[in-house]
Amino acid sequence: MSDETPDILSAIGTPLPLEPELDEARKELVRLINLVTGGRDGSVDTAVPGLFVYCVSKPDGPKHAMQTPALGLIAQGSKRIMVGDDIYVYDPMHYLVTSVDLPVCGQVRVTSEQEPYLGVRLELAVDEIGELIRNEQLPAKANAPASRGMYVNRIAMPVLEPVLRLLRLLETPEDVPIMAPLIKREIMYRLLVNGEGARLRQIALQDSHTQRVAKAISALRVNFAQSLKVEDMARAVHMSVSSFHHHFKAVTAMSPLQYQKQLRLQEARRLMLLTGADVATAAHDVGYESPSQFAREYGRMFGAPPLRDKRRWLGEAGNDALGAASREAA
């Protein structure tokens, strides 16, 4: 069990009732999400840049996706996310923060079709977080060592209330250009000073171990199809090989090689399902030289060999579902 166990398990178990004020705010969140989605399943890219809302009444199997820096809130239902061997569960009582790009496996849960999963995802701008932490008036927080790039916190009104105001802006689109950046800055401030905010600071703190790992992740995402030399990656971010391995796993819950494998397999699946690439072409394009190794690792990750997985999606999902498969519910 990792050092992150208390945080990972913090949202697991029988949910307790929300406090009256929070429950009223949650009901308002339900109303606003339903207003945007029209009660229809799917994701909506709203008029507020970086703000997405989701409605899922009939969740299917787990979805593999790349989780980018973001805040995730749930109004109804819950979500289970696996990062490496770590499991995070969050619900209306908790919010999720991701500070670095992480390949994840997620699955939403609903109480019933009458109460679908309703969620909000707000992308977090690392450069804007950096501006905030350089502000001398930001309350001081003890520096945290490199730790998981994902965490779950108990929801609180200082975080939830500005999210509601951001969603209300959608009812007055003319206010979005001026007001949305101000409210998003307030949300990032609340995340930095609430709960595990010290972790979020690490991603924007100049020359922190977390920031160095984030730089390595950015390079890996661009060059994942190439042969991976950990020594070169460590040198590029000015770390020893042993220190790089240690901090990379502390942040991502996996080794650089495991991270690269997940990137390759997710991209191969995207190529097959969304662009129509055949299995051999997809395997080659993401850097696999051995078709048998590709098929074996693909089957382990997605539960079926590549061709069977592709046929299943083409036969059962249809084009609309294939498009939805490329999007992530926060």
Side-chain angles (χ1 to χ4, degrees), residues 40-42 54-60 108 110 112 115-118 329:
R40 295 183 295 272
D41 273 26
Y54 302 87
C55 176
V56 181
S57 61
K58 298 178 180 178
D60 48 17
V108 302
V110 300
S112 68
E115 291 190 7
Y117 169 92
L118 300 175

Side-chain angles (χ1 to χ4, degrees), residues 210-329:
T210 302
Q211 190 186 65
R212 293 185 189 189
V213 169
K215 289 179 179 178
I217 287 173
S218 295
L220 187 54
R221 290 200 64 184
V222 174
N223 303 304
F224 65 86
Q226 301 176 13
S227 294
L228 174 63
K229 294 183 178 179
V230 177
E231 295 84 359
D232 293 342
M233 294 182 67
R235 189 180 307 114
V237 294
H238 309 291
M239 298 174 74
S240 69
V241 172
S242 60
S243 178
F244 178 68
H245 259 290
H246 171 75
H247 290 104
F248 193 98
K249 191 160 188 177
V251 172
T252 68
M254 60 195 87
S255 70
L257 285 171
Q258 290 170 326
Y259 191 102
Q260 180 192 40
K261 181 192 297 184
Q262 293 216 21
L263 287 180
R264 285 179 166 182
L265 293 173
Q266 286 191 17
E267 175 62 9
R269 195 180 201 218
R270 188 192 70 81
L271 290 172
M272 289 189 297
L273 299 184
L274 301 181
T275 73
D278 59 56
V279 174
T281 299
H284 178 269
D285 286 353
V286 301
Y288 276 90
E289 297 179 0
S290 167
S292 60
Q293 181 186 4
F294 172 69
R296 183 170 59 252
E297 293 182 352
Y298 187 102
R300 259 192 225 117
M301 183 163 172
F302 297 115
L307 191 56
R308 188 191 306 166
D309 185 49
K310 182 178 180 179
R311 286 172 176 165
R312 176 175 63 85
W313 276 96
L314 290 174
E316 297 177 7
N319 291 334
D320 289 342
L322 288 180
S326 69
R327 299 188 295 269
E328 175 191 356

